Amino acid sequence: MYSVQEARPVSQVLRLGRGSCSQRMAVLEAVARAWGIPSRVRGLVVDGTFWYPRFPRLRRLVPSQVVLAWPEFRIGGLVGADQAAAWLSVSELFDGAGVGRTSGGGFTNAGAETLFEALARTSIDWDGATACPASDGSCDLSAYLLTDLGSFDSRDELFARYGQTLCGPARLLAEPVLGRRAAGF
């Protein structure tokens, strides 16, 4: 399922039993907070062309810029350069965890696999700083990053400040269509 309702509450995502990759990452954030692990999001403005492979027939409707909330978690016991507990991006949570990451390729956004699902299989790097196990370097998504908006205590704070990608009426019209579609539409 795809969704343009990025500010959808986690309770609704759980009730529906499905959600976009961003909404599923919000569930992961909520679970972490319930277990006492602080979370925040990094606000990213991503080039709309990143979504062209996923929506080949809807390219003209894809916004030129998309606001993305990329989760980060503060893991106790890990120390950053300033001796404070380090913040790890959602992709870094899986690095070195032996959870089946392969060198079979990075994330292309072209098939049924979403960003959320790809995290368990490959690195996803918005800064071009992570060693990519894929031979074609497709873990490096930095070419699509237009603006780093910084860190926010929550995705709600990010969207309150910068808004969701689509305006309310556009979300209202797009949600029923995208909510029923699979990759390749």
Coordinates of all heavy atoms in Angstrom, one line a residue, residues 61-95:
L61 N 2.4 13.2 -12.0 CA 1.7 13.6 -10.8 C 2.6 13.5 -9.6 O 2.3 14.0 -8.5 CB 0.6 12.6 -10.5 CG -0.5 12.6 -11.6 CD1 -1.6 11.6 -11.3 CD2 -1.1 14.0 -11.8
V62 N 3.9 13.0 -9.7 CA 4.8 12.9 -8.6 C 5.3 14.3 -8.4 O 5.8 15.0 -9.3 CB 6.0 12.0 -8.9 CG1 7.0 12.0 -7.8 CG2 5.4 10.5 -9.1
P63 N 5.3 14.8 -7.1 CA 5.8 16.2 -6.8 C 7.3 16.3 -7.1 O 8.0 15.3 -7.0 CB 5.5 16.3 -5.3 CG 4.6 15.3 -5.0 CD 4.7 14.2 -5.9
S64 N 7.7 17.4 -7.4 CA 9.2 17.6 -7.7 C 10.0 17.4 -6.5 O 11.2 17.1 -6.6 CB 9.4 19.0 -8.3 OG 9.1 20.0 -7.4
Q65 N 9.5 17.7 -5.3 CA 10.2 17.5 -4.0 C 9.3 16.8 -3.0 O 8.1 17.1 -2.9 CB 10.6 18.8 -3.4 CG 11.5 19.6 -4.3 CD 11.9 21.0 -3.7 OE1 11.4 21.4 -2.7 NE2 12.8 21.6 -4.4
V66 N 9.8 15.9 -2.3 CA 9.1 15.1 -1.3 C 9.7 15.2 0.1 O 10.9 15.0 0.2 CB 9.0 13.6 -1.7 CG1 8.3 12.8 -0.6 CG2 8.3 13.5 -3.1
V67 N 9.0 15.6 1.1 CA 9.5 15.7 2.5 C 9.5 14.3 3.1 O 8.4 13.6 3.1 CB 8.7 16.7 3.3 CG1 9.2 16.7 4.8 CG2 8.7 18.1 2.7
L68 N 10.6 13.8 3.5 CA 10.7 12.5 4.1 C 11.2 12.5 5.5 O 12.2 13.2 5.8 CB 11.7 11.6 3.3 CG 12.0 10.2 3.7 CD1 10.7 9.3 3.5 CD2 13.1 9.6 2.8
A69 N 10.5 11.8 6.4 CA 11.0 11.8 7.8 C 11.8 10.5 8.0 O 11.2 9.4 7.9 CB 9.7 11.7 8.8
W70 N 13.1 10.6 8.2 CA 14.0 9.4 8.3 C 14.3 9.2 9.8 O 15.0 10.0 10.4 CB 15.2 9.7 7.5 CG 16.0 8.5 7.2 CD1 17.3 8.2 7.7 CD2 15.7 7.4 6.4 NE1 17.7 7.0 7.2 CE2 16.7 6.4 6.4 CE3 14.6 7.0 5.6 CZ2 16.7 5.2 5.7 CZ3 14.5 5.8 5.0 CH2 15.6 5.0 5.0
P71 N 13.8 8.1 10.4 CA 14.0 7.9 11.8 C 15.4 7.7 12.2 O 16.3 7.2 11.5 CB 13.2 6.6 12.0 CG 12.3 6.5 10.9 CD 13.1 7.1 9.7
E72 N 15.7 8.2 13.5 CA 17.0 8.0 14.2 C 16.7 7.6 15.6 O 15.6 8.0 16.1 CB 17.8 9.3 14.2 CG 18.2 9.8 12.8 CD 19.0 11.0 12.8 OE1 18.8 11.9 13.7 OE2 19.8 11.2 11.9
F73 N 17.5 6.8 16.1 CA 17.3 6.2 17.5 C 18.6 6.4 18.3 O 19.7 6.3 17.8 CB 17.0 4.7 17.4 CG 15.8 4.4 16.5 CD1 16.0 4.2 15.1 CD2 14.6 4.4 17.0 CE1 14.9 4.0 14.3 CE2 13.5 4.1 16.2 CZ 13.6 4.0 14.9
R74 N 18.4 6.8 19.6 CA 19.5 7.0 20.5 C 19.6 5.7 21.3 O 18.8 5.3 22.1 CB 19.2 8.2 21.4 CG 20.5 8.5 22.2 CD 20.3 9.8 23.0 NE 21.5 10.5 22.9 CZ 21.7 11.8 23.0 NH1 20.6 12.5 23.1 NH2 22.9 12.3 22.9
I75 N 20.7 5.0 21.0 CA 21.0 3.7 21.6 C 21.9 3.8 22.8 O 23.1 4.2 22.6 CB 21.5 2.7 20.6 CG1 20.6 2.6 19.3 CG2 21.7 1.3 21.2 CD1 19.2 2.2 19.6
G76 N 21.5 3.5 24.0 CA 22.4 3.5 25.2 C 23.6 2.6 25.0 O 23.5 1.5 24.4
G77 N 24.7 3.0 25.5 CA 25.9 2.2 25.4 C 26.7 2.5 24.2 O 27.9 2.2 24.1
L78 N 26.2 3.1 23.2 CA 26.9 3.5 22.0 C 27.3 5.0 22.2 O 26.5 5.8 22.6 CB 26.1 3.4 20.7 CG 25.6 2.0 20.4 CD1 24.8 2.1 19.1 CD2 26.8 1.1 20.1
V79 N 28.6 5.3 22.0 CA 29.1 6.6 22.3 C 29.5 7.3 21.0 O 30.2 6.7 20.2 CB 30.2 6.6 23.3 CG1 30.8 8.0 23.6 CG2 29.8 5.9 24.6
G80 N 29.0 8.5 20.8 CA 29.4 9.3 19.6 C 30.7 10.0 19.8 O 31.4 9.9 20.9
A81 N 31.1 10.8 18.9 CA 32.3 11.6 18.9 C 32.4 12.5 20.1 O 33.5 12.8 20.6 CB 32.5 12.4 17.6
D82 N 31.2 13.0 20.6 CA 31.2 14.0 21.7 C 31.0 13.3 23.0 O 30.6 13.9 24.0 CB 30.2 15.1 21.5 CG 28.8 14.5 21.4 OD1 28.6 13.3 21.4 OD2 27.9 15.4 21.2
Q83 N 31.2 12.0 23.1 CA 31.0 11.1 24.2 C 29.5 11.0 24.7 O 29.3 10.5 25.8 CB 31.9 11.6 25.4 CG 33.4 11.5 25.1 CD 33.8 10.1 24.7 OE1 33.5 9.2 25.4 NE2 34.5 10.0 23.6
A84 N 28.6 11.6 24.0 CA 27.2 11.4 24.3 C 26.7 10.2 23.5 O 27.3 9.7 22.6 CB 26.4 12.6 23.8
A85 N 25.5 9.7 24.0 CA 25.0 8.5 23.3 C 24.7 8.9 21.8 O 24.2 9.9 21.5 CB 23.7 8.1 24.0
A86 N 25.1 7.9 21.0 CA 25.0 8.2 19.5 C 23.6 8.0 19.0 O 22.9 7.1 19.4 CB 26.0 7.3 18.8
W87 N 23.3 8.9 18.0 CA 22.0 8.7 17.3 C 22.3 7.8 16.1 O 23.3 8.1 15.3 CB 21.5 10.0 16.9 CG 20.8 10.8 18.0 CD1 21.4 11.8 18.7 CD2 19.5 10.7 18.5 NE1 20.5 12.3 19.6 CE2 19.3 11.6 19.5 CE3 18.4 9.8 18.2 CZ2 18.2 11.8 20.2 CZ3 17.3 10.0 18.9 CH2 17.1 10.9 19.9
L88 N 21.5 6.8 15.9 CA 21.7 5.9 14.7 C 20.5 6.1 13.8 O 19.4 6.1 14.2 CB 21.8 4.5 15.1 CG 23.0 4.1 16.0 CD1 23.0 2.6 16.3 CD2 24.3 4.4 15.2
S89 N 20.8 6.2 12.5 CA 19.7 6.2 11.5 C 19.0 4.8 11.5 O 19.6 3.9 11.9 CB 20.1 6.7 10.2 OG 20.8 5.6 9.5
V90 N 17.8 4.8 11.0 CA 17.1 3.5 10.9 C 18.0 2.5 10.1 O 18.0 1.3 10.4 CB 15.7 3.7 10.3 CG1 15.7 4.2 8.9 CG2 14.9 2.4 10.5
S91 N 18.7 3.0 9.1 CA 19.5 2.1 8.3 C 20.7 1.5 9.1 O 21.1 0.4 9.0 CB 20.0 2.8 7.0 OG 20.8 1.9 6.2
E92 N 21.3 2.4 9.9 CA 22.4 2.0 10.7 C 22.0 0.9 11.8 O 22.9 0.2 12.3 CB 23.1 3.2 11.4 CG 23.8 4.1 10.4 CD 24.2 5.4 11.1 OE1 23.4 6.1 11.7 OE2 25.4 5.7 11.0
L93 N 20.8 0.9 12.2 CA 20.3 -0.1 13.2 C 20.6 -1.5 12.7 O 20.9 -2.4 13.5 CB 18.8 0.0 13.4 CG 18.4 1.2 14.3 CD1 16.8 1.2 14.4 CD2 19.0 1.2 15.6
F94 N 20.6 -1.7 11.4 CA 20.8 -3.1 10.9 C 22.2 -3.3 10.5 O 22.6 -4.5 10.3 CB 19.9 -3.3 9.6 CG 18.4 -3.3 10.0 CD1 17.7 -2.1 9.8 CD2 17.8 -4.4 10.4 CE1 16.3 -2.1 10.1 CE2 16.5 -4.4 10.7 CZ 15.7 -3.3 10.6
D95 N 23.0 -2.3 10.3 CA 24.4 -2.5 9.9 C 25.2 -3.4 11.0 O 25.1 -3.1 12.1 CB 25.2 -1.2 9.8 CG 24.8 -0.4 8.6 OD1 24.2 -1.0 7.7 OD2 25.1 0.8 8.5

